[in-house]
Amino acid sequence: MKKLVLAILAGMLLLMLYGTAMACPNPDGSCSMNSYSCTKAEEDGHWLRCRFCGYEFKENHWGGTATCQKRAECFWDRKAYGELGPHSFTTKASSQLASAATCTEAAKYYAQCDNCDAVSDTVTVSVGDPLGHDYSGAPATCTTDQVCAREGCGAVLDSAKGHTPVTDAAVAPTCTATGLTEGTHCEACGDVLVAQQIVPMTGHDYRSATRAPTCTEGGYTIYTCANCGASHTANETSPRGHWFGEWSANGDDTHSALCRRNGCKHTGTTACAWFDGQLLMQQADEAYAFAVCPVCGEVSDGARLSLVEAARAEALTEALPRGELVLRMGELANGEIILSVGFEYSGKLTQPTGEVKITIPAALLEGYALSLLDADGAESALPFAVEDGEVSFTLSFAPVDGEEAPIPIRLIRLLPVSE
């Protein structure tokens, strides 16, 4: 009760002091005295009324002191306003470690606010003593210093001692054994200071014979001594691998090709890689569906696409895949003409990535426009450029929308252009 009375008296005293410090803002100027009462509190201020003239006006909240835990309270309406006060980070350490103790520095913890539990993310307080250097590591050698064994320190505790040279005598070469020049090594650690160089043997007379690599076997050079018959091989190379010509269908879902290299009669056979396609026909209710193997050109409707040998590819983004460009062109059983574009190695398709520029003779496309086919039959115009008797166009082998796997081949429809 006593505390309440004291608080009321203190408030009255402050009201008196405030009344003497401020004049009534009544524009009539008729109030010669001023003493206010708070009539209404709002978020952005409060309303005061002059007790003598009744003039009422609004002013911002004021008074009180903000802390890091509590905003300031307005003198008139005790309403919290403004921002919280700043934290006070001085010498009080929190439990959050900023940096562990090292050999030369004590551990540092983030500082805790002197007035609350807040922890600074920049201010630190040193706690305890440095750990001191760890001498348990390897002692100094001829060439290496002893350093502090504590992880992350690396301070030099004892410097390297230096080598103690010892002479290694020279060894004369013989007909069947190599010799050595004079050298030196360290007596303490055994490190070679001056390496002994091998002196060639004097008796052998090597003659060389070279075997070229084939498709399946590597090549090498054999050196044979004319005096004693000792021999060794060098310059070994890998097999060249088969270089197949055009692949032809076998009629059993496989295709074959002969190796082009001189002296090799190998025939390679692999399974066809079938890809589905369909053409939306203007005069038919249903799409024309077919499957094609882009390696050998066989089509499920009995047609076969011919290989365009004068075709080349250039990577515009990323790189071309292993193998060779295989571009085939031909007429389906229903009379439509299509192109298939892919890359093959040993009769199997390889996966292109990114964008690839394709160039073929312009005469092949004379009188036609190009339409890019999707597996569902959707088509989009494929622009091309004609220059110096050649046609070039760009294909993307990135995954199509909604598909995770990249596109191994692209199919193109040739549309006649009416003159």
Side-chain angles (χ1 to χ4, degrees), residues 183-228:
T184 59
H185 69 274
C186 177
E187 184 177 32
C189 68
D191 284 356
V192 175
L193 305 181
V194 177
Q196 290 181 283
Q197 302 299 316
I198 295 177
V199 178
M201 295 178 292
T202 60
H204 287 307
D205 180 12
Y206 284 110
R207 310 294 171 87
S208 64
T210 300
R211 175 175 175 175
T214 66
C215 293
T216 57
E217 295 183 359
Y220 57 86
T221 300
I222 184 169
Y223 295 89
T224 305
C225 179
N227 297 327
C228 68

Side-chain angles (χ1 to χ4, degrees), residues 250-306:
N250 297 322
D252 58 356
D253 285 343
T254 65
H255 45 234
S256 301
L258 292 173
C259 180
R260 300 178 184 178
R261 301 195 190 280
N262 292 334
C264 183
K265 300 180 180 180
H266 176 74
T267 298
T269 301
T270 63
C272 289
W274 293 100
F275 287 88
D276 295 327
Q278 55 180 325
L279 300 175
L280 301 179
M281 310 302 295
Q282 294 181 354
Q283 288 81 20
D285 294 335
E286 297 182 355
Y288 185 78
F290 62 93
V292 60
C293 175
V295 176
C296 65
E298 186 173 9
V299 185
S300 59
D301 64 2
R304 184 169 186 262
L305 306 183
S306 300

Side-chain angles (χ1 to χ4, degrees), residues 11-12 14-26 31 33-39 46-57 59 62 75-76:
M12 293 176 64
L14 287 173
L15 283 171
M16 292 174 64
L17 292 173
Y18 180 71
T20 59
M22 292 183 59
C24 177
N26 190 335
C31 182
M33 302 181 66
N34 42 66
S35 181
Y36 306 106
S37 61
C38 182
T39 61
H46 50 253
W47 289 86
L48 298 181
R49 178 184 295 140
C50 178
R51 295 178 183 271
F52 296 95
C53 69
Y55 181 73
E56 193 171 26
F57 62 95
E59 68 173 5
W62 63 273
F75 169 79
W76 284 104

Side-chain angles (χ1 to χ4, degrees), residues 102 158 218 262 304 327 360 408:
T102 66
D158 188 14
N262 292 334
R304 184 169 186 262
L327 188 148
I360 60 177

Side-chain angles (χ1 to χ4, degrees), residues 80-138:
Y81 72 95
E83 304 292 336
L84 293 175
H87 294 294
S88 174
F89 298 113
T90 55
T91 60
K92 185 177 180 181
S94 71
S95 61
Q96 296 185 20
L97 182 66
S99 59
T102 66
C103 297
T104 57
E105 293 187 5
K108 292 183 179 179
Y109 289 79
Y110 288 107
Q112 182 175 327
C113 179
D114 297 330
N115 302 315
C116 68
D117 295 333
V119 177
S120 172
D121 57 0
T122 57
V123 180
T124 59
V125 178
S126 296
V127 178
D129 298 318
L131 300 177
H133 292 302
D134 184 351
Y135 285 79
S136 64

